[in-house]
Amino acid sequence: MPPSRKRRSYTAEYKVEAAHRVIDTGRTIAEVARELGIDAGLLSNWVKDERRRVDAATARGDTPLDDSERAELLALRKRVAEQDKDIQFLKKASAYFAAMQHNRTGSN
């Protein structure tokens, strides 16, 4: 029995960015899929989903994000994720140092 292949997962941001490489540039799905190293059928689904999302936003009177706004949103999400990691580290460090301080004062 051959070993099972691990299924790759993609973030929502990656899917949207990949879809917009097709939508915004007019390049073919096959071309972008080859460039990204993903299955064309998978990318096709992402493109359909993104077109539906954009159409729904337009129907509600919302304007979809342009390239620069999408890039800024991705950068901000990345920054928030990094700051969340920093906060978790600082919480652990402060708990450690508080315990160390407690042990020092408690042993006197």
Side-chain angles (χ1 to χ4, degrees):
M1 177 179 219
S4 63
R5 291 178 19 185
K6 185 174 180 184
R7 187 173 181 168
R8 291 169 53 185
S9 64
Y10 302 94
T11 64
E13 292 85 6
Y14 182 84
K15 293 175 184 180
V16 169
E17 287 302 311
H20 277 279
R21 285 188 184 197
V22 173
I23 296 168
D24 297 342
T25 65
R27 293 164 56 202
T28 67
I29 289 173
E31 181 182 353
V32 173
R34 250 189 327 274
E35 176 183 298
L36 297 175
I38 60 175
D39 181 69
L42 184 62
L43 180 57
S44 176
N45 290 336
W46 297 349
V47 170
K48 287 176 195 171
D49 290 345
E50 183 59 13
R51 284 187 172 139
R52 271 188 239 123
R53 190 189 67 75
V54 168
D55 290 345
T58 303
R60 288 190 311 266
D62 295 339
T63 54
L65 299 177
D66 63 27
D67 289 340
S68 64
E69 291 170 324
R70 259 195 320 279
E72 180 181 14
L73 178 60
L74 290 173
L76 290 171
R77 285 181 176 168
K78 182 178 179 182
R79 186 172 173 188
V80 167
E82 290 170 358
Q83 289 176 341
D84 285 344
K85 287 178 186 175
D86 290 346
I87 289 168
Q88 291 306 313
F89 172 78
L90 291 172
K91 283 181 180 179
K92 289 176 183 177
S94 64
Y96 171 78
F97 288 115
M100 293 297 291
Q101 184 67 27
H102 178 73
N103 287 343
R104 266 193 222 137
T105 58
S107 61
N108 289 338

